[in-house]
Amino acid sequence: MNRRLVFWIPVALRLLLLLVGAGIVWYFFGPIVALAAIVGAMLVMLATQLHYLFQLSDWLDNPSSAKLPDGWGAWTDIFSRLYKLRRDDEKNQAELTEWLARFRQAMSLLPDGVAIMDDVLFLEWCNPAAERHLGLDLERDKGMRVTNLVRTPAFIDYIVLGRYEQPLTLSLRERKLIVQIIPFESRRQILVTHDATEAERVEMMRRDFIANASHELRTPLTVINGFLEIAFNQPNLELQTRMSHLKLMIEQGQRMQNLVEDMLTLTRLESVEYPLRPERVDIRALMEQIQREAMALSAGRHHVSLEVDGPDIKGSTDELRSAFGNLASNAVRYTPEQGSIALAWRMKEDGPEFVVKDTGIGIRPEHISRLTERFYRVDKSRSRETQGTGLGLAIVKHVLLRHDATLSIDSEPDKGSTFTVKFPSKSVYAE
Ligand code: ADP
C-alpha cells in the first residue's frame, strides 16, 4: 500500500474518533465540556509526539547504543524504517571493515611495494614491502612528502620530470629497485616498487658464466688453431715436432671436452626438469670405484687408502659418483708425489659422511668460502696443468644440495685438506 495512505489513514481515523467522542460529550455534557475534552485529547497527542521526538533525538545522538522505542501510530513505521536503515548500515560497515582487513592482509603479503600519495606527493598509505624497499615507516612518515623521505637524486628527477610511462631503476639501500608511479583518481598517485636485486644477481652470474666459459674455451681453441696453421703452412715439419704438436692438440681438445661436459652436468643439475630420482646407492661398490679411479689418475704417485664403515643410502648413484669422484680427483691433483689420500665412508651420530683427506698443498683460509663458485681457482696454472675445469666443486655443491647434504672444508696450507660431506640420517637406506 502507498506509504502516504499508511500514514494518513490512522491519523484520519484518530481525528474521526476524536470528533465522534466530542459529539457524544457535547450531546451529554454540553459544548464547554466537549471543547475541553478536545483540547485535553490534543494535548495528550502533542505530548506523545513530543515524547517520541525526544526519543528520536536521543537515538540520533547515539544511534549504535540507544534502543529505538516501538512507537505509536505513524511513529511505529518511522521507527521501524530507521531501525532497518541502521541494521543495513551496520551490515555494510561490517562488510566494508572485513573487506578492508582482507585488502590490507593481501597488500602486506605482496612482495612488491605499494604506496599511495596525494597530488602533491604526501604519503597517505603504504604496505610493508614499500616500507622495506624505501626505508619508510607508515606511522612516522604518513602525511610527509615522499621526495623528503626518499632523497635519491634519480628518484627526485623522475618525479620532477614526470615521465611516468617508463619505470625507473634505482639503487637504494644496497638493493636494486624498479620504481614506477601510476596516477589515479586524478588527485592521487600510486608508487609501485619491485625488488630486482636477486634477478640482477642471477643475470650477473649468467653473464659472468658465459664470459668465463668463453674465455676457458678460447685458450685451447687458440692453441689448436695455432698448431693447425703451422701444419698447414709448414707441411714438411719433422715427424717428432709434428707428433709433439698433435699431442698438445689432443690435450687441448680433451680440455675443451672436459669443460663442455662439466658445463652440461651443471646445467642438468640445476634444471628443475631433472628432479632427483633416489635409488639405493651401493656404497661399497661406489667407494671402490672412486678409489680405483683415483689410483688410475695418480698412476702410482700417491698412496690411496679406503675405509668403508657405514650403511647404503638413498640417492642418485651417478650424481654421487660425479661428486665424490671430483673430490677424490682434486685430492690427487693437488697433492704432490708420494703424498697420501684417505677416502672414508663412516656412520656418525647425525648421519653418514664421506671424507677425503689429503696431504697436499692445502688452501689458504680466505679462499675456502669461494671454492664452490664456478671457475674459482686458487692457482689457475696448476688447475689447468692437471686438466681442471674450475667447475668440479660447483658440481659437488649442486649434487649435495639435491641430496640435502653439506660440504665442509678444513685445510692448512702445505699440510693438506679434508673435505667432508655430511648426509642427513634420513638418507640411510632402510631394508
Ligand atoms: P679445478 O678444476 O680447478 O680443480 P674445482 O672446482 O674442483 O676446480 O676446485 C676449485 C679450486 O679449489 C681448485 O682450482 C683448487 O685451487 C682448489 N682445490 C680443490 N680441491 C683442493 C685440494 N684437495 N687441495 C688443494 N686445493 C684444492
Side-chain angles (χ1 to χ4, degrees), residues 4 26 66 115 197 202 204 229 244 255 282 312 324 357 389 403 427:
R4 283 184 199 283
W26 187 315
T197 319
V202 171
M204 214 163 84
E229 253 174 58
S244 84
R255 186 170 148 197
D282 182 342
D312 286 350
F324 294 174
K357 189 173 163 55
T389 59
H403 286 80
S427 59

Side-chain angles (χ1 to χ4, degrees), residues 216 255 257-260 262-263 326 333-334 374-377 383-384 386-392 395:
E216 293 291 332
R255 186 170 148 197
Q257 186 165 350
N258 291 349
L259 194 67
V260 171
D262 276 0
M263 288 199 298
N326 266 308
R333 290 166 43 231
Y334 297 105
R374 294 152 184 213
F375 297 114
Y376 188 86
R377 291 141 160 156
S383 162
R384 292 213 180 96
T386 56
Q387 292 283 346
T389 59
L391 293 176
I395 292 177

Side-chain angles (χ1 to χ4, degrees), residues 71-355:
W72 183 71
W75 286 102
T76 312
D77 183 46
I78 291 174
F79 285 147
S80 80
R81 280 162 64 194
L82 277 174
Y83 200 66
K84 186 171 174 312
L85 271 180
R86 200 190 86 189
R87 270 215 323 269
D88 288 353
D89 188 46
E90 275 175 359
K91 203 170 136 229
N92 286 345
Q93 278 235 324
E95 271 174 17
L96 204 67
T97 315
E98 197 190 312
W99 195 87
L100 202 69
R102 268 212 306 269
F103 172 79
R104 289 214 163 161
Q105 201 199 6
M107 281 293 174
S108 67
L109 293 174
L110 219 61
D112 286 348
V114 179
I116 296 178
M117 306 173 296
D118 65 12
D119 53 340
V120 278
L121 303 170
F122 286 158
L123 179 69
E124 290 186 342
W125 179 85
C126 69
N127 70 349
E131 290 186 310
R132 272 196 314 279
H133 292 169
L134 303 169
L136 304 177
D137 177 341
L138 184 58
E139 252 180 58
R140 185 192 60 204
D141 301 331
K142 195 173 173 178
M144 304 246 302
R145 211 193 194 102
V146 173
T147 40
N148 289 340
L149 300 168
V150 182
R151 290 171 168 273
T152 315
F155 180 68
I156 295 177
D157 284 353
Y158 177 67
I159 289 194
V160 171
L161 294 174
R163 292 209 191 107
Y164 299 154
E165 322 78 51
Q166 291 291 325
L168 165 76
T169 306
L170 207 62
S171 291
L172 197 69
R173 300 151 56 80
E174 293 171 12
R175 305 207 77 80
K176 243 298 150 311
L177 289 183
I178 297 176
V179 173
Q180 186 158 23
I181 290 184
I182 305 160
F184 85 114
E185 270 190 358
S186 78
R187 290 177 57 85
R188 286 204 166 69
Q189 347 210 24
I190 306 181
L191 171 69
V192 184
T193 60
H194 175 73
D195 189 345
T197 319
E198 184 58 18
E200 176 91 359
R201 196 184 64 81
V202 171
E203 178 57 22
M204 214 163 84
M205 264 175 57
R206 197 184 65 83
R207 276 200 303 261
D208 281 357
F209 183 68
I210 292 176
N212 281 325
S214 316
H215 179 77
E216 293 291 332
L217 285 170
R218 196 175 56 188
T219 319
L221 263 178
T222 313
V223 176
I224 293 174
N225 280 339
F227 285 131
L228 284 175
E229 253 174 58
I230 294 175
F232 186 72
N233 293 331
Q234 303 170 30
N236 303 323
L237 268 183
E238 253 179 52
L239 183 67
Q240 207 184 349
T241 318
R242 193 187 291 256
M243 289 309 281
S244 84
H245 287 183
L246 277 175
K247 185 169 172 277
L248 284 169
M249 277 160 65
I250 291 172
E251 267 173 32
Q252 296 303 319
Q254 184 61 48
R255 186 170 148 197
M256 284 203 295
Q257 186 165 350
N258 291 349
L259 194 67
V260 171
E261 270 166 16
D262 276 0
M263 288 199 298
L264 286 174
T265 306
L266 256 184
T267 312
R268 196 167 37 80
L269 288 173
E270 277 183 324
S271 161
V272 279
E273 282 155 33
Y274 286 94
L276 184 75
R277 289 209 184 79
E279 57 191 347
R280 179 180 185 163
V281 180
D282 182 342
I283 286 292
R284 179 160 287 279
L286 178 63
M287 289 299 137
E288 284 171 357
Q289 186 181 2
I290 301 291
Q291 185 192 27
R292 270 198 310 277
E293 284 172 6
M295 284 164 89
L297 185 66
S298 156
R301 289 175 294 133
H302 308 89
H303 176 251
V304 184
S305 67
L306 172 67
E307 171 201 336
V308 182
D309 184 16
D312 286 350
I313 57 168
K314 289 173 285 185
S316 156
T317 308
D318 285 343
E319 289 182 19
L320 291 176
R321 187 184 301 118
S322 157
F324 294 174
N326 266 308
L327 291 175
S329 93
N330 279 354
V332 173
R333 290 166 43 231
Y334 297 105
T335 300
E337 261 179 55
Q338 305 309 321
S340 49
I341 289 132
L343 308 171
W345 178 260
R346 301 191 187 104
M347 184 61 193
K348 289 281 168 140
E349 251 174 43
D350 48 354
E353 66 178 30
F354 172 63
V355 185

Side-chain angles (χ1 to χ4, degrees), residues 330-331 333-334 358 361-363 371 376-379 383 388-394 417 419:
N330 279 354
R333 290 166 43 231
Y334 297 105
D358 65 50
I361 59 172
I363 307 153
L371 291 184
Y376 188 86
R377 291 141 160 156
V378 177
D379 179 349
S383 162
T389 59
L391 293 176
L393 290 181
S417 314
F419 286 72

